[in-house]
């Protein structure tokens, strides 16, 4: 009854049932299920520090105390090969099975509130499997282990192997209760180090459905919010992103998943600022989320993952809308929390836009500040180049764009020209529409600084079309205010920006409905694969008569 009440959001009734079980339980194992439900309630209500304390106390009762620190050199364990899976023994002893459940359940809280405990928490689980045998829970355990191997250790080969083991364990034990957890770990934190991030979307969607069927609501929340964030980072049409966000947000509210609702609200607000900008769209403030009001609350709760997202969202808005100094402040504020997102695309986003923010203001910094900025950019680029070598489709154009900006501030014009064009081509080829727009806009600024306004105008107009097709009205309007003369050929005085944007978005919607791409698992189709620039231009001319 306690578990059913918690799943229905009746936490008060669930707590009463837990107290009854604890009062009448005769052995430690009798009481463990009540401790597990208490732990789940604390996590679902965002009480992460309390959840960690509950977990540590319960592990002590079971006789499997967990160390709260672990040296990185101790973390690497020898894992079984995929060919050995059938011969591995099964875990049957109740005490280690209970310890595994507790360790798995508390890990989300650890990551959010005490990420320094992530290594020993996961290591303890793998050790239990290797020592006492495997069960269906091994799928989630190896998913987490692979995440940390990739994100914390930088051992991508071993991490990908652990991810493969996670999926193989799902198949061997057919434990559907582990699907949501394993899919979240593999497709939010591991698989994008091997293949295009777009390949992660459909499994995350499937995991949400399985989570509903099995009651795995905590990881359902993670899958839903990561899906929406990754869809946004991939440059899908903002109207499609917003539709997904609103659907999943309604589900999270219905399930009373406070830990996920905050994340959902942050990305809803970012999308709202870009598509329906208010007075100051560069600020993370509006109908869905108010960063100024929420920051003290989140700091008091110690919710590191949500704090990371808050600062990342503020960084993106500030940078896109021309406030590089605020973007760098937000990137710096996010840095202490980035371990919470280890292995994820959130870390890549922080890397790229922190570098771009520093380079945007580099020439106005004093010598000491320039030295600090250069060191930060070089560190970021070393990591980003490695990622670009691992998966060029995801990261090469990002690395090239930062390289272009780095060449610009160094005065290396030929190298900058080539890098801008390479970044534009790579973003276009792999469907990152927003980064195609950004690369064009930065190239335009580069040529303007060089005194080549005519060349700059071509890049800027391409950037405008890309932002308009993406649906980012705030950014398109920002370009109009900043470069009215360069955009004059496509924005006649009699035409309002809303008219042009509406026409372009209408063309995009028509194209998406009639030219579905068979290469994408997601229903969101990149315009670059279905409609070229000339088609947009002609259709816009026919609709508005102004371009």
């Amino acid at each position: 009854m306690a578990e059913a009440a918690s799943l229905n959001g009746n936490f008060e009734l669930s707590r009463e049932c837990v107290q009854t079980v604890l009062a009448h339980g005769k052995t430690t194992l009798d009481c463990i299920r009540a401790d597990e439900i208490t732990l789940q309630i604390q996590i679902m209500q965002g009480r992460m520090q309390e959840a960690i304390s509950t977990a540590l106390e319960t592990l002590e009762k079971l006789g499997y105390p967990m160390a709260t620190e672990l040296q990185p050199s101790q973390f690497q364990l020898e894992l079984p090969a995929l060919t050995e899976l059938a011969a591995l023994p099964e875990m049957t002893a109740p005490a280690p099975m209970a310890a595994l459940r507790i360790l798995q359940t508390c890990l989300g809280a650890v990551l959010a509130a005490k990420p320094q405990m992530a290594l020993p928490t996961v290591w303890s689980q793998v050790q239990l499997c290797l020592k006492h045998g495997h069960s269906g829970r091994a799928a989630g355990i190896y998913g987490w282990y692979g995440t940390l191997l990739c994100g914390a250790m930088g051992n991508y080969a071993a991490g990908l192997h652990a991810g493969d083991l996670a999926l193989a364990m799902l198949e061997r034990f057919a434990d559907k209760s582990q699907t949501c957890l394993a899919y979240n770990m593999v497709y939010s934190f591991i698989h994008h180090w091997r293949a295009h991030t777009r390949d992660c979307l459909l499994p995350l969607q499937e995991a949400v459905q399985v989570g509903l069927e099995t009651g795995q609501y905590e990881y359902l929340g993670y899958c839903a919010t990561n899906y929406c964030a990754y869809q946004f980072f991939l440059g899908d049409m903002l109207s499609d992103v917003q539709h997904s966000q609103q659907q999943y947000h309604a589900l999270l509210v219905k399930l009373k998943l406070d830990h996920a609702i905050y994340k959902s609200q942050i990305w809803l607000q970012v999308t709202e600022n870009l598509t329906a900008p208010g007075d100051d769209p560069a600020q993370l403030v509006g109908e869905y989320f108010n960063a100024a009001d929420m920051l003290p609350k989140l700091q008091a709760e110690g919710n590191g993952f949500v704090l990371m997202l808050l600062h990342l969202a503020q960084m993106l808005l500030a940078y896109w809308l021309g406030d590089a100094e605020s973007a760098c402040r937000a990137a710096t504020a996010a840095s202490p929390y980035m371990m919470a997102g280890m292995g994820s695309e959130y870390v890549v986003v922080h890397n790229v836009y922190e570098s771009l923010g520093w380079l945007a203001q580099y020439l106005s910094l004093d010598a000491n500040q320039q030295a600090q900025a250069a060191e930060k950019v070089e560190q970021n680029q070393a990591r980003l180049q490695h990622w670009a070598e691992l998966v060029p489709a995801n990261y090469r154009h990002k690395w090239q764009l930062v390289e272009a900006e780095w060449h610009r501030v160094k005065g290396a014009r030929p190298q900058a020209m080539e890098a801008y064009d390479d970044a534009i081509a790579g973003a276009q080829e792999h469907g990152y529409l927003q980064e195609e727009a950004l690369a064009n806009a930065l190239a335009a600024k580069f040529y303007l600084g060089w005194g080549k306004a005519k060349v700059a105008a071509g890049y800027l107009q391409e950037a405008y079309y890309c932002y308009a097709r993406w649906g980012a009205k705030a950014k398109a309007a920002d370009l109009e205010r900043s470069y009215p003369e360069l955009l004059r050929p496509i924005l006649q005085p009699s035409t309002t920006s809303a008219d042009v944007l509406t026409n372009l978005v209408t063309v995009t919607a028509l194209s998406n409905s009639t030219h579905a791409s068979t290469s994408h698992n997601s229903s969101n189709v990149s315009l670059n694969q279905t409609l070229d620039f000339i088609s947009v231009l002609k259709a816009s001319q026919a609709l508005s008569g102004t371009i």
Side-chain angles (χ1 to χ4, degrees):
M1 179 182 286
E3 186 171 13
S6 69
L7 291 176
N8 288 321
N10 191 340
F11 299 127
E12 188 58 39
L13 174 60
S14 183
R15 278 190 289 267
E16 292 175 5
C17 294
V18 165
Q19 291 305 313
T20 300
V21 172
L22 292 173
H24 294 88
K26 295 181 180 179
T27 68
T28 298
L29 287 173
D30 290 339
C31 300
I32 288 302
R33 190 59 188 151
D35 290 337
E36 289 182 67
I37 294 169
T38 298
L39 179 59
Q40 290 167 358
I41 292 171
Q42 290 168 336
I43 291 171
M44 291 172 75
Q45 293 183 324
R47 296 152 53 201
M48 302 304 186
Q49 298 283 3
E50 293 178 46
I52 294 170
S53 297
T54 297
L56 292 174
E57 291 169 7
T58 305
L59 290 168
E60 287 278 357
K61 293 179 191 176
L62 284 166
Y64 292 98
M66 187 189 77
T68 55
E69 293 183 3
L70 185 74
Q71 294 301 316
S73 59
Q74 299 173 283
F75 189 70
Q76 185 76 51
L77 296 169
E78 186 175 350
L79 301 182
L82 290 172
T83 55
E84 299 173 346
L85 253 60
L88 293 176
E90 291 194 28
M91 180 182 289
T92 57
M97 290 177 72
L100 274 185
R101 292 196 302 269
I102 294 297
L103 285 163
Q104 275 192 301
T105 303
C106 79
L107 188 53
V110 165
L111 192 64
K114 283 191 175 181
Q116 67 272 21
M117 286 178 55
L119 292 184
T121 304
V122 172
W123 182 86
S124 298
Q125 295 175 56
V126 178
Q127 282 282 55
L128 282 170
C129 289
L130 296 176
K131 184 176 181 179
H132 297 284
H134 290 75
S135 66
R137 291 185 174 274
I141 291 166
Y142 284 120
W144 264 109
Y145 191 56
T147 293
L148 295 181
L149 285 169
C150 290
M153 302 290 103
N155 190 339
Y156 297 96
L160 288 164
H161 175 60
D164 291 339
L165 280 173
L167 298 180
M169 289 290 178
L170 276 181
E171 185 174 347
R172 174 183 167 178
F173 291 100
D175 186 351
K176 206 171 183 181
S177 70
Q178 292 296 297
T179 301
C180 198
L181 164 56
Y183 272 33
N184 179 65
M185 304 320 302
V186 172
Y187 294 107
S188 296
F189 300 93
I190 300 174
H191 192 68
H192 62 96
W193 300 119
R194 168 184 282 157
H196 200 301
T197 304
R198 184 167 297 284
D199 294 347
C200 300
L201 293 185
L202 185 58
L204 289 172
Q205 284 182 308
E206 293 172 349
V208 172
Q209 185 59 42
V210 173
L212 280 172
E213 296 169 3
T214 60
Q216 302 301 306
Y217 291 166
E218 179 190 353
Y219 279 91
L220 176 158
Y222 298 142
C223 289
T225 53
N226 288 335
Y227 173 88
C228 291
Y230 283 19
Q231 189 185 25
F232 179 80
F233 296 154
L234 282 162
D236 282 5
M237 313 307 295
L238 288 177
S239 58
D240 293 333
V241 173
Q242 196 168 44
H243 178 70
S244 298
Q245 290 173 335
Q246 289 168 343
Q247 283 191 317
Y248 282 130
H249 182 69
L251 175 62
L252 300 176
V253 170
K254 182 178 180 180
L255 296 176
K256 301 181 181 179
L257 299 180
D258 292 346
H259 75 281
I261 289 170
Y262 290 152
K263 302 173 194 175
S264 177
Q265 289 172 324
I266 287 171
W267 296 115
L268 272 166
Q269 192 58 57
V270 171
T271 307
E272 182 76 7
N273 282 22
L274 291 171
T275 59
D279 294 336
D280 190 0
Q283 298 300 315
L284 190 63
V285 175
E287 175 185 355
Y288 296 103
F289 194 84
N290 187 314
D293 291 345
M294 288 299 299
L295 185 58
K297 174 180 172 63
L298 294 171
Q299 288 172 331
E301 291 178 355
N303 197 326
F305 199 99
V306 179
L307 285 165
M308 174 191 74
L309 296 184
L310 182 155
H311 294 303
L312 287 182
Q314 184 61 75
M315 174 191 71
L316 290 173
L317 288 173
Y319 179 79
W320 278 331
L321 294 167
D323 188 350
E325 185 177 352
S326 293
C328 287
R329 282 199 300 270
T332 300
S335 292
Y337 306 109
M338 292 312 302
M339 190 176 178
M342 66 181 88
S344 70
E345 290 282 20
Y346 303 112
V347 174
V348 178
V349 169
H350 181 261
N351 175 300
V352 172
Y353 286 89
E354 180 181 49
S355 293
L356 290 175
W358 282 115
L359 292 171
Q361 54 180 328
Y362 186 86
L363 295 178
S364 64
L365 302 176
D366 62 34
N368 287 335
Q369 291 172 322
Q370 284 186 346
Q372 293 172 1
E375 182 180 8
K376 176 62 68 176
V377 171
E378 287 171 357
Q379 290 173 350
N380 285 346
Q381 279 296 84
R383 296 182 72 197
L384 187 55
Q385 184 175 19
H386 181 50
W387 299 336
E389 292 167 354
L390 284 174
V391 195
N394 289 337
Y395 309 120
R396 184 166 178 78
H397 71 276
K398 295 176 172 67
W399 174 77
Q400 288 167 328
L401 182 56
V402 178
E403 282 292 286
E405 285 286 273
W406 199 209
H407 290 312
R408 173 184 64 81
V409 301
K410 291 178 177 179
R413 288 171 176 167
Q415 293 92 330
M417 293 167 61
E418 182 178 2
Y420 283 122
D421 286 342
D422 286 344
I424 292 167
Q428 185 178 57
E429 178 183 356
H430 298 294
Y432 289 86
L433 180 58
Q434 86 287 23
E435 287 168 349
E436 180 188 350
L438 176 60
N440 272 294
L442 291 177
K445 291 179 70 174
F446 162 72
Y447 282 107
L448 272 180
W450 192 359
K452 296 183 177 294
K454 190 171 183 180
V455 177
Y459 282 98
L460 194 68
Q461 289 162 23
E462 289 276 5
Y464 183 87
Y465 281 121
C466 287
Y467 279 125
R469 299 202 306 269
W470 188 37
K473 295 182 180 180
K475 185 57 189 176
D478 177 61
L479 292 181
E480 291 178 40
R481 288 190 299 270
S482 301
Y483 308 102
E485 293 301 320
L486 295 182
L487 292 175
R488 187 177 299 278
I490 61 171
L491 295 176
Q492 297 299 325
S494 61
T495 304
T496 67
S497 62
D499 293 334
V500 175
L501 286 167
T502 299
N503 289 338
L504 288 171
V505 171
T506 300
V507 172
T508 297
L510 289 171
S511 172
N512 281 341
S513 68
T514 57
H515 298 279
S517 169
T518 58
S519 65
H520 287 174
N521 288 328
S522 170
S523 61
N524 304 303
V525 183
S526 169
L527 184 65
N528 291 328
Q529 296 185 353
T530 61
L531 189 65
D532 61 20
F533 177 80
I534 294 175
S535 299
V536 174
L537 183 59
K538 290 181 178 179
S540 299
Q541 287 172 330
L543 287 170
S544 68
T546 61
I547 299 178

